[in-house]
Amino acid sequence: MPASGSAYAPTANAPTTVAHSCSSGYVHARLSWGHKCLRAGQFCKVGNREYLRYGFYCPRSKHLRRR
């Protein structure tokens, strides 16, 4: 083991966030349960208002729709 400490310690230059990207036709969303790529027709959490921020809503059909 090195005398200066662990070789795996984070450095001051280490990025604190990870860049996320989505394929064409998807919208990147930062939801309370994590990052997700949204697209109309995907399964969703009914009535969750977080989707509104990204131009979607989740009706009783449980499939995202554009507003």
Side-chain angles (χ1 to χ4, degrees):
M1 178 149 60
S4 64
S6 173
Y8 300 103
T11 65
N13 300 4
T16 57
T17 59
V18 177
H20 294 275
S21 61
C22 297
S23 299
S24 178
Y26 287 83
V27 175
H28 178 255
R30 289 184 183 130
L31 303 170
S32 61
W33 60 92
H35 292 261
K36 183 153 176 74
C37 295
L38 302 176
R39 185 175 183 170
Q42 287 181 317
F43 284 108
C44 56
K45 296 180 179 187
V46 175
N48 190 313
R49 299 186 55 81
E50 287 185 74
Y51 298 116
L52 296 174
R53 183 181 313 150
Y54 303 99
F56 295 92
Y57 68 98
C58 188
R60 291 183 191 184
S61 68
K62 298 182 183 179
H63 294 281
L64 280 177
R65 287 192 164 171
R66 283 272 191 192
R67 288 196 306 164

